[in-house]
Amino acid sequence: MADSSTNPTVIFKTSLGTFEVVLYQDKAPITVENFLQYVKDQFFNGTLFHRIIPGFMAQGGGFDKTGQQKPTLPPIKNEAENGLKNDRGTLAMARTMVVDSATSQFFINFVDNAFLNYAGKNNFGYAVFGKVTEGMDVVDSMAKVKTGSRGPFQDWPADDVTIESVTLK
């Protein structure tokens, strides 16, 4: 795994508790620069983990408490070829079916999700750019929240799981 001593760390304060994430700037420089711009802009403050699937992942960074998607910066290049794997506790960029479509949304893997890894041009994968280094118990607690449908969305928490702030350590 990447060296955490040369990479920035961010602190997520959520409605369920706090956890820390090292960002692999050395392996995913475009993605980390993009993420840190959102942190600097306080974009994530008040957004939700809006998609939580036990045994899979928790996705956040795009919707406010009213369920509205926030306007984002332009999409970035997918850095899934960086050698990092979608293993338990890693953060990766969410995207559409378009390979280079990631903006602000990310997910945290609850388990190893090898099928999300880069496997060639026909299976481009999802770019891992960080890993939870402290507070994985808080992340795991997300997997226990009750979810259901909200508008067109599935797996939306019944009670908000809010990102109160993300700050650079």
Side-chain angles (χ1 to χ4, degrees):
M1 194 53 74
D3 176 13
S4 63
S5 66
T6 59
N7 288 305
T9 297
V10 291
I11 301 169
F12 280 78
K13 183 179 178 192
T14 76
S15 56
L16 296 177
T18 301
F19 60 93
E20 291 188 13
V21 174
V22 63
L23 301 176
Y24 296 129
Q25 195 162 20
D26 55 343
K27 298 283 189 181
I30 295 167
T31 307
V32 170
E33 180 181 352
N34 176 70
F35 189 82
L36 288 174
Q37 185 61 56
Y38 284 111
V39 170
K40 180 182 173 190
D41 294 343
Q42 300 181 352
F43 178 90
F44 297 121
N45 298 5
T47 60
L48 305 175
F49 279 99
H50 66 273
R51 184 173 173 228
I52 297 178
I53 304 173
F56 181 36
M57 59 89 221
Q59 182 174 337
F63 289 86
D64 66 21
K65 291 181 180 190
T66 69
Q68 295 299 306
Q69 191 164 2
K70 293 180 72 172
T72 64
L73 299 171
I76 60 170
K77 177 177 175 18
N78 186 330
E79 295 179 296
E81 290 180 86
N82 63 18
L84 299 174
K85 305 295 184 200
N86 280 278
D87 290 340
R88 173 174 160 71
T90 58
L91 272 72
M93 292 304 294
R95 62 173 177 82
T96 67
M97 294 304 291
V98 176
V99 171
D100 296 329
S101 62
T103 56
S104 67
Q105 292 187 43
F106 60 91
F107 59 91
I108 305 173
N109 290 291
F110 289 138
V111 298
D112 292 355
N113 287 310
F115 72 98
L116 299 177
N117 296 335
Y118 176 81
K121 297 296 181 194
N122 293 329
N123 182 11
F124 209 88
Y126 294 80
V128 172
F129 68 98
K131 183 173 178 67
V132 176
T133 54
E134 288 184 31
M136 193 62 193
D137 57 323
V138 173
V139 174
D140 287 336
S141 72
M142 288 186 219
K144 298 177 177 123
V145 302
K146 184 178 181 212
T147 61
S149 298
R150 181 170 178 175
F153 303 103
Q154 304 298 311
D155 308 305
W156 193 289
D159 294 317
D160 288 347
V161 178
T162 305
I163 300 172
E164 296 169 3
S165 66
V166 182
T167 54
L168 199 54
K169 184 173 178 180

